[in-house]
Structure formats: structure tokens, C-alpha cells
Amino acid sequence: MFTGVRLLAIALGVVFLLGVGFHFTGLPFLPEAHFSDAAISHWPAAWYLRQSILEHGVFPFWRESLMGGQPFAANPLNKTAYPLQLLALLPEPAPFLNVMIGLHLLLAGWGMWRWARLVGLREEAAVLSALAYALTPKLIGHLGAGHVDVLYALAWWPWLMWAVLKLAQADLSTGSDLHQQRRRFHAVLRLALFGALLFLADVRLSLFAFGLAGVYALWEVRRQRQRSRSRWFVLAGGLIIVLTLSVTVPLLAWQPYMNRGNLSAVEAGTQSLEIGQLVGLLLPPHSGSPETLAYLGLSVLLLAGIAVFAAPRQHIFWLVVVVIAAFWSLGTHGGLWPLLVNTVPALLWFRVPSRAWFVVVLAACLLAGHGLQTVLSAVERLHASGEITRLAFKRLATAGGMGAALFCGGFTLAVLGDLPGTIGGGVMLVGFLLGLVLLLALYNRLHPEWVALALLLVTFIDLGWTGRNWLEWRGADQWLTHQEGLVNWFAEHETGRVYSPNYALEQQVAAAHGLRLFYGVDPFQLSGVV
């Protein structure tokens, strides 16, 4: 059963990808978007890296073809220091990016599963946490926008948390001194490697990942009364600094020449989450910006709530973390972020405060596993003895929750006519299925194993229903070969460097045909060129 649940979760992930049109020669897009960072930035970067090394035999420190010429290796977006980026030397850029997407989705789910198991969750609960994390709508939305670097970093985040907990829990009291030293070394090295991989994948998310990992380490050291372990976490942090010098040194060297250092708080706070957008916790938007997408999944939200309600003291750490991250996500619309950037101006470099919501996502997925474990424990007691405490209240609360979901979805369909009907229909369907499964379980009509399986399937329906509105794959005819007439005109007129104020010639097309641009879309902008 347990192995079958794991295989089912992987199969469901494959079904989701096939359902949104995944194919190796295409790239991910938001369904209604004209552009995707996967095509605009990541395809040309992989193309240029491959071309420079394989055809010209040189490492690409500089790229002449974009924005009047700009650093290439020093730009963290190009991932030249990320070890897995070297796979770009093997296949063509589009298949390479698709292999990376599939691999990192698998790593994300696997890492969450390993972390959840180490926390103490049973296998079915850990599988649900893994599926919820790998298919969380915010991650899928960023993938649709082509933010593959965000996916890469999110894939390593649960591994980082697993390594923190592994070091805090490591048994260093048995065996010879040599064996203890080896175990300590391996634990520190694992933590440093996962931290470095996350940083090299995406510098921006490392702010939240390292902040959370540091607080988590302090919490676990204190909780397990292992304060002497603190120095090993400091050592791991030092190793992370050493392993990421290939990014930080060039970035700091170029910093005086970049326009990013001149951002105002208003400019850096763009895409802050608004309080009204928190309605998206219950009514998932099916279009817009993934930066402000707050939907976690009704099933994930419900199960996480069950975990906190059932054992608030046990989960107080994550409850506090969620509240702080949510306030940070509000950015210019809240009080926390302005206070922090005024105190530490360097935080303006990280921009887009709504990305702190990924902390909420990580915590909610772990808590959802705890919630499923709570439900299964109650159902097993009911199945064994026919009695659990406050059974009538739990049945009533479940029925009330089902009714609330049906009302909320029906109200959306009947009154909020500007919203797509799939939003209200999805809330009604998922709410009904969740209530039905839980009521059958509480009336002892479902075996605990079937409860876990049913909730896993409902979670997939919930997240898949939302995710398909945020992600689709498009063939090269829509993003690479669609400007052949314009390319032929440039070839006939032997153009030097091109400038287009309305982005008429897209940079991936220019890269594929060796055309040099004075403009471009890239956050790594030299102030002189701007």
C-alpha cells in the first residue's frame, strides 16, 4: 500500500504535466500570456552557454548580443555556476529545459517527502505533503510564467530543511570518535551542499530559505536541548559562503555599475500582495500574476487547519512563521516590509515581497501532512473501538464545512459573474468531495487506507484543476520560428545592432539567428546602458 501510494503520487504528477500539454520541444507559458521567461531568458541563456563552449571552445564571461553587451557569467539568472546547468551541453535548449523542469518537480516532491518522514509523519501523510508541494498553485503559476529558476530553488528548499533537522537530530553519542566525526562531517556537508544549490539556483529566494532555515535550526537546537550543535550550523553557513563565491564575488564586483542599487521602496515593492487578494485562499484566481497568487488548495488549507486546531502547541513554530511570512508578503500594503527595508536598505535588492508567500506554502504543505495524520489516527481509533472524543462535533463541523464550500462556490457562480465559472464550480466540487470523504470516514464507512487514498486524489483534483489554468506548453512555432519574415528582412539589410522600443524582435529569436540587440529583458541591467 505504502509503495503504491508513492508511485500513485508520481503518476499523478505525470498526468498533470501531460494534461497541460508537456512536450520536450515546447516551453511553459501562462495560458493568456504573450511571453514567458522560459523563452525570453532561459532558452537564450542555455543556447549561448552551449554555443560558446561546444562551438567556440570558450567559457561565456560576456554576451555581446544583448542590451548593448553585458556580463553573462556574472548574471545569476544565467545559472553558469549552478552544476545542473551544465546539462545544457548535451541536448538542445528546449529539451534541456524540459528535462530540468521534470527533474526539479521530482526533487521538490521527493525532498518534501524525506523531510516529512524525518519530522515523524507516516508514509501516506508524507506523500500528501509531497504532492501538495510539487503541485502547489503558486509554484505552477511561476512555472507558467517561465520562472524555472524559482522552480529550481523551490526543489532544494525542503532538502535544506531536511538537512537542518538531520543535523539537529544526529546521534553523535555512539560509536568511536572517528565514526562520530564522520557523521558530523556528513551532516554539515549535506546542509552546506543543499544550501549552496538553492542559492546558486535562485539568489532571490535564498533570502527567505536561509532565514527560515536559520530560525528552524535555532528552534530545533533549543527544543532538543542540543545547543552545542549551534557551532556546526555556523560551520555549515561558512561552507555555503565558500561554495557560492562563484556568484557572490562577480555580483558584488558589478554592483556599482548596475541600476538595481537605485531602486526605491515603491519600485522594489512592486507585486506586493494585497489584503483583498487573500480571498484567493478560498477562491483561486485563474489568471493574473503568479506573484500574487495566494491559493494553497482547499484540501491543503483544511488539513493544515486540522493539524493546528488538533495540536496548537506542537505547531506553534509554524503558525508564527506563517503569520510573519504573510505580513512580509503584503509588502507596501503592510507594516513589516517597509520597516525592514528602511532598516536594512540592502533588502531592496530582493524586490517582490510577495515571494515570502512561498514560506507559507512550505509550512502549509508540511502541516497538511500532519492534518492527514490526525485524521487517519482518529479514523483508526474509530475503526478499532467505535469511539473517539467529540465525534458528534466533528461530524457537525465537517458537514458545516461542506455546506460553506457549496455556498461559497454557488455564490461565486450566481453573483460574481465577472469571475470564470470554473472557480465557483471547482470550489463546490472540491468542497463536496472533501466533506464526503471526511463524513464517510467519521461514520466508519471507509477504511483508513481508503481515506488516505481518497484525500490524496481530492488534493490532486483540487491542485490540478487550478494548475491547468496557470500552465500550458507551446511549441517552437509560437515563440521561436514565428518571426521568420522579420529575421529575413534583417538578413537582407545586413543590420548591425537592433533597437526596438516596442520589443518587436524578441530576444530568443535574435539569439537563434545571431542578431545583436541594444535592448533586452533582463534584471541584470548596467546603469550606463539603461
Side-chain angles (χ1 to χ4, degrees):
M1 170 65 181
F2 296 154
T3 302
V5 170
R6 276 182 281 170
L7 293 177
L8 175 63
I10 295 174
L12 291 175
V14 173
V15 167
F16 172 77
L17 288 177
L18 295 176
V20 295
F22 177 88
H23 57 100
F24 281 103
T25 57
L27 288 178
F29 278 74
L30 292 171
E32 298 181 1
H34 295 293
F35 304 107
S36 166
D37 278 9
I40 291 175
S41 297
H42 299 289
W43 188 93
W47 170 273
Y48 188 68
L49 177 65
R50 190 172 189 272
Q51 189 180 49
S52 296
I53 294 178
L54 295 184
E55 295 186 16
H56 303 296
V58 296
F59 188 78
F61 290 104
W62 185 266
R63 176 163 53 179
E64 177 65 22
S65 59
L66 186 64
M67 301 186 78
Q70 65 167 182
F72 184 81
N75 185 348
L77 192 68
N78 296 326
K79 303 286 175 289
T80 55
Y82 184 53
L84 294 179
Q85 187 73 5
L86 293 177
L87 294 175
L89 302 180
L90 301 177
E92 292 294 321
F96 157 71
L97 288 172
N98 285 299
V99 168
M100 291 283 278
I101 288 169
L103 174 62
H104 284 84
L105 284 172
L106 181 62
L107 284 170
W110 185 17
M112 177 57 78
W113 180 82
R114 290 289 300 273
W115 180 32
R117 290 289 286 159
L118 187 62
V119 166
L121 294 186
R122 56 198 291 174
E123 188 136 1
E124 312 97 302
V127 167
L128 184 131
S129 290
L131 184 71
Y133 185 68
L135 296 185
T136 192
K138 189 169 179 66
L139 184 156
I140 298 302
H142 276 275
L143 178 56
H147 302 161
V148 297
D149 41 358
V150 172
L151 168 61
Y152 299 169
L154 290 174
W156 295 115
W157 199 340
W159 287 99
L160 176 65
M161 303 301 286
W162 171 82
V164 168
L165 185 58
K166 194 75 172 176
L167 179 55
Q169 292 182 350
D171 181 9
L172 304 177
S173 61
T174 59
S176 65
D177 290 343
L178 179 60
H179 287 160
Q180 291 180 28
Q181 291 175 4
R182 286 179 177 175
R183 286 199 296 270
R184 186 184 302 122
F185 172 76
H186 290 157
V188 170
L189 184 60
R190 278 195 301 263
L191 178 55
L193 286 175
F194 290 137
L197 285 169
L198 190 151
F199 183 90
L200 297 175
D202 190 271
V203 175
R204 298 159 297 183
L205 277 186
S206 67
L207 171 69
F208 307 113
F210 290 165
L212 178 60
V215 174
Y216 188 49
L218 291 173
W219 174 265
E220 287 297 328
V221 165
R222 178 182 177 278
R223 189 174 68 87
Q224 299 183 37
R225 300 179 181 178
Q226 295 283 357
R227 296 187 179 182
S228 61
R229 301 281 172 90
S230 299
R231 63 180 183 274
W232 302 114
F233 285 104
V234 172
L235 176 59
L239 286 176
I240 290 174
I241 292 174
V242 172
L243 292 172
T244 56
L245 288 175
S246 55
V247 168
T248 54
V249 170
L251 192 60
L252 291 173
W254 279 101
Q255 185 272 334
Y257 308 101
M258 294 171 60
N259 74 327
R260 200 176 185 93
N262 299 321
L263 290 174
S264 67
V266 174
E267 291 170 329
T270 184
Q271 299 280 16
S272 295
L273 195 65
E274 298 180 19
I275 294 178
Q277 290 170 327
L278 294 178
V279 174
L281 283 167
L282 300 176
L283 296 177
H286 286 177
S287 62
S289 171
E291 302 286 7
T292 54
L293 178 58
Y295 190 65
L296 303 170
L298 285 181
S299 53
V300 173
L301 188 63
L302 173 65
L303 291 171
I306 289 174
V308 173
F309 183 79
R313 294 187 63 183
Q314 179 184 345
H315 303 302
I316 187 63
F317 172 81
W318 293 111
L319 190 59
V320 172
V321 163
V322 164
V323 171
I324 293 174
F327 272 106
W328 186 307
S329 299
L330 293 174
T332 55
H333 304 122
L336 179 60
W337 189 79
L339 175 64
L340 290 172
V341 297
N342 287 330
T343 306
V344 187
L347 291 175
L348 291 172
W349 266 55
F350 292 90
R351 299 175 62 244
V352 193
S354 57
R355 291 194 177 179
W357 194 258
F358 279 118
V359 176
V360 179
V361 169
L362 188 80
C365 292
L366 183 67
L367 289 172
H370 281 285
L372 177 57
Q373 183 149 300
T374 300
V375 170
L376 294 180
S377 297
V379 174
E380 286 171 347
R381 292 198 303 272
L382 181 64
H383 192 72
S385 63
E387 294 183 4
I388 59 173
T389 59
R390 306 178 70 184
L391 180 58
F393 171 78
K394 292 174 181 177
R395 289 171 176 171
L396 182 61
T398 301
M402 178 194 289
L406 293 175
F407 173 81
C408 189
F411 181 83
T412 304
L413 288 172
V415 179
L416 304 180
D418 293 337
L419 296 178
T422 52
I423 294 178
V427 171
M428 293 180 69
L429 175 63
V430 173
F432 172 76
L433 291 177
L434 280 172
L436 179 63
V437 171
L438 292 176
L439 282 175
L440 288 174
L442 292 174
Y443 278 97
N444 204 12
R445 295 292 187 270
L446 277 181
H447 191 276
E449 290 185 356
W450 290 106
V451 173
L453 181 61
L455 288 176
L456 187 69
L457 291 174
V458 172
T459 300
F460 172 73
I461 292 171
D462 184 9
L463 301 181
W465 185 294
T466 302
R468 66 182 297 275
N469 293 282
W470 287 90
L471 176 63
E472 68 177 16
W473 256 256
R474 297 182 190 172
D477 60 315
Q478 299 184 62
W479 52 267
L480 186 61
T481 61
H482 61 303
Q483 294 189 310
E484 290 299 320
L486 188 57
V487 169
N488 291 335
W489 187 92
F490 283 125
E492 292 172 3
H493 289 79
E494 298 181 357
T495 306
R497 190 175 291 277
V498 180
Y499 175 69
S500 170
N502 67 345
Y503 196 72
L505 177 64
E506 297 173 22
Q507 63 195 50
Q508 72 274 11
V509 177
H513 294 87
L515 297 172
R516 299 188 304 159
L517 304 179
F518 192 75
Y519 60 97
V521 178
D522 195 307
F524 197 93
Q525 298 178 1
L526 301 181
S527 55
V529 175
V530 175

